[in-house]
Amino acid sequence: MNKKKRSTFKSAAAGLLAAAMLVTGGCGQKQTGPPGSQGGGGTIAVITKQQLSFWDDVKKGAQDACDEFGYDMVYTVADGDNDYVTQIAAINDAINKKAKAIVIAPNSEKDLNEALTKAIDSGIKVVVINSEIDASMNELLASRIGSSESDGGTVAAKNAIAAYKNKGGDLANVGKIGIIGHTAGTAENRINGFITRMTNKIAEANGIEVPEENPYAALAAAGGQGGPPAGVQGGDAAAAAQAGAQAGAQAGAQAAQAGAQAAQAGAQGAQGAQGEQAADVNEEDLTELEKAERVVAQHEAEVKAEGERKLAQIKKNFVQTDRCSRVDEAKEAAKKLLGTDGNGFSILFATNTNTTLGVCAAVEELGLSGKITIVGYNSDEEELTYIRRGVLDGVILQNPYIIGYVGVRYAKQHVQGGGTAPQLDTGVTFVNAGNMNEDYIQLLLYPDKYSEKL
């Protein structure tokens, strides 16, 4: 590697790791001395979902952090994203071994609650990574780390649209959109984010006005200005979201509850109120301004109702299969959707590695490569091969190495009596044929090979 390229690679690595270190409250400098000399010592149990390259990268990040901070890592990987029995056994094993912390990607939102509560009661710090967990557990956890699922779905939709247009597609006349979701709880928010963004953009392409959402609504509800916090740039989505949640969560929740109650009351009384107004108000008693206001209000209500009707019509374009946990299941589900000639589908979205591989296998087998836009999730080497062959248009990459590394770092800080943010969004990156060979993307794809390239 030449000097310029080496410098670029180092800068990318520094930026990636510095971002993670900044949010942990540490400065990210390399620890020195033998294992345990930085106040570590003991065992950290790392428990993941299934045997996939994504979780291999999480493991590498966690192992590097354990080595750096002087902890022994006990690693357990379940047999699939529905296998919570193996995870419960691993939690109990961590309790028996008096582990200092557990870093876990739960395979169930609720079935692990009892075991995790037992671990926490025994003094073990628990950090949840890249997974959904029952809301009742949030206050007991040390922290939650992972990419935003809904943001990932939004980014997938944005890039699916771009890829579809690059193939000459007209979004205003897009065909059916298929979604092949995996069985874990993370799929739901990814799908919701995808459908929302895709629906809005199709609506815009058809001239249907869609109101913009305010990403700083929590701050606005808390009495802020509705914009990003001071010092936060518009692109710093994770920092802004975290700041907004911390600054406005309680007030925002109260405001939302009050608003919901008011909306419910208004909805219940609207019909009666309109009847009363019609009976009580004499048009001759109204000023010209009041008459105009009534006409405008009626028109706006009609336009809104028509817009909602059109959005509902657009959403009929989305077809979801049954959830799939294995590659072969996803392949068969995709083949049923597509028939022999694509069955009118323009875009397919797969929500994890196995569903992405299954969809690509089906499309290639049916001879539809390049004819249907496909966006998937994660960065298994086989997925990257499908990108190179032109079957897959791109994937959402979640920074698994950083998730594992920061998961252990957060756990270490809690073990040592420190604190961390209650939740950290590690962000997502879209990878396609156009950027996959760039240094920064290569660093994300192959973090374990970084040192070999220097």
Side-chain angles (χ1 to χ4, degrees):
M1 181 179 291
N2 61 42
K3 190 173 294 185
K4 182 177 180 181
K5 192 171 183 181
R6 186 183 299 114
S7 176
T8 302
F9 218 87
K10 285 185 175 180
S11 296
L16 181 65
L17 295 177
M21 295 308 96
L22 179 63
V23 293
T24 63
C27 56
Q29 68 267 33
K30 183 175 177 61
Q31 305 294 323
T32 58
S37 65
Q38 299 300 322
T43 297
I44 292 181
V46 178
I47 306 168
T48 63
K49 289 176 175 287
Q50 58 183 318
Q51 190 62 57
L52 289 173
S53 59
F54 176 89
W55 297 109
D56 289 342
D57 287 340
V58 169
K59 178 184 177 182
K60 291 168 188 172
Q63 185 65 68
D64 283 352
C66 282
D67 291 344
E68 181 176 346
F69 302 122
Y71 290 92
D72 295 322
M73 183 177 81
V74 175
Y75 182 74
T76 303
V77 57
D79 291 331
D81 60 16
N82 289 320
D83 176 20
Y84 60 85
V85 175
T86 296
Q87 293 191 325
I88 289 175
I91 294 169
N92 289 330
D93 182 62
I95 294 171
N96 293 335
K97 290 180 177 177
K98 301 187 184 304
K100 300 288 187 179
I102 294 173
V103 178
I104 183 170
N107 271 338
S108 171
E109 291 188 27
K110 295 184 178 181
D111 291 299
L112 301 177
N113 285 8
E114 183 178 348
L116 287 175
T117 300
K118 181 181 176 183
I120 293 167
D121 288 345
S122 69
I124 297 175
K125 307 299 181 183
V126 175
V127 174
V128 166
I129 55 172
N130 210 60
S131 302
E132 300 296 323
I133 191 73
D134 186 55
S136 65
M137 295 294 296
N138 286 344
E139 292 186 1
L140 302 178
L141 301 175
S143 186
R144 297 177 63 200
I145 298 168
S147 62
S148 165
E149 309 300 350
S150 59
D151 285 354
T154 299
V155 173
K158 173 185 174 182
N159 286 280
I161 290 169
Y164 176 68
K165 288 181 175 179
N166 286 340
K167 296 177 182 179
D170 177 11
L171 195 59
N173 296 298
V174 68
K176 290 184 285 188
I177 300 168
I179 299 173
I180 299 85
H182 62 292
T183 53
T186 50
E188 195 65 34
N189 286 334
R190 293 177 189 178
I191 292 171
N192 288 341
F194 180 85
I195 290 177
T196 298
R197 178 61 175 252
M198 187 69 73
T199 299
N200 289 351
K201 289 302 178 182
I202 295 172
E204 290 177 10
N206 283 278
I208 303 170
E209 187 173 344
V210 179
E212 293 185 7
E213 295 183 3
N214 180 4
Y216 305 105
L219 286 178
Q225 300 300 313
V232 176
Q233 301 299 315
D236 293 340
Q242 184 176 330
Q246 292 174 336
Q250 185 174 1
Q254 293 170 348
Q257 184 178 7
Q261 292 171 345
Q264 184 178 6
Q268 291 172 343
Q271 205 169 17
Q274 288 174 353
E276 290 174 9
Q277 287 177 353
D280 297 343
V281 176
N282 188 336
E283 286 284 338
E284 295 180 357
D285 295 334
L286 296 176
T287 66
E288 291 302 316
L289 177 59
E290 289 171 334
K291 290 179 182 179
E293 288 175 342
R294 285 167 66 92
V295 171
V296 170
Q298 182 178 355
H299 174 70
E300 289 178 346
E302 291 172 353
V303 169
K304 181 180 179 181
E306 179 65 10
E308 290 175 348
R309 185 192 68 78
K310 290 180 178 178
L311 288 176
Q313 190 65 32
I314 290 172
K315 288 185 178 180
K316 290 181 180 179
N317 284 0
F318 294 90
V319 181
Q320 294 192 46
T321 68
D322 291 336
R323 299 297 171 84
C324 306
S325 61
R326 302 192 311 270
V327 174
D328 60 330
E329 290 176 343
K331 179 181 178 180
E332 289 306 310
K335 288 174 70 174
K336 287 181 182 178
L337 279 185
L338 300 174
T340 58
D341 60 356
N343 199 23
F345 280 88
S346 297
I347 297 172
L348 296 177
F349 173 47
T351 61
N352 77 341
T353 299
N354 283 345
T355 55
T356 301
L357 294 176
V359 167
C360 290
V363 167
E364 194 167 52
E365 184 176 302
L366 294 170
L368 298 172
S369 299
K371 299 177 182 179
I372 298 176
T373 297
I374 306 172
V375 170
Y377 240 88
N378 300 329
S379 55
D380 185 88
E381 193 60 39
E382 193 173 352
E383 290 177 278
L384 301 181
T385 299
Y386 278 122
I387 291 177
R388 296 184 186 101
R389 290 211 298 259
V391 179
L392 180 61
D393 290 277
V395 291
I396 301 298
L397 179 60
Q398 302 179 80
N399 301 329
Y401 179 90
I402 289 298
I403 290 172
Y405 181 91
V406 179
V408 169
R409 185 181 176 96
Y410 266 40
K412 182 266 298 187
Q413 289 187 209
H414 282 276
V415 167
Q416 294 180 352
T420 64
Q423 185 164 337
L424 171 65
D425 182 351
T426 52
V428 296
T429 302
F430 186 71
V431 178
N432 62 14
N435 69 3
M436 66 188 303
N437 292 320
E438 294 176 4
D439 286 333
Y440 178 69
I441 301 299
Q442 286 289 299
L443 173 61
L444 296 178
L445 293 174
Y446 307 110
D448 55 321
K449 296 180 181 179
Y450 164 61
S451 60
E452 299 174 9
K453 292 192 175 188
L454 295 180

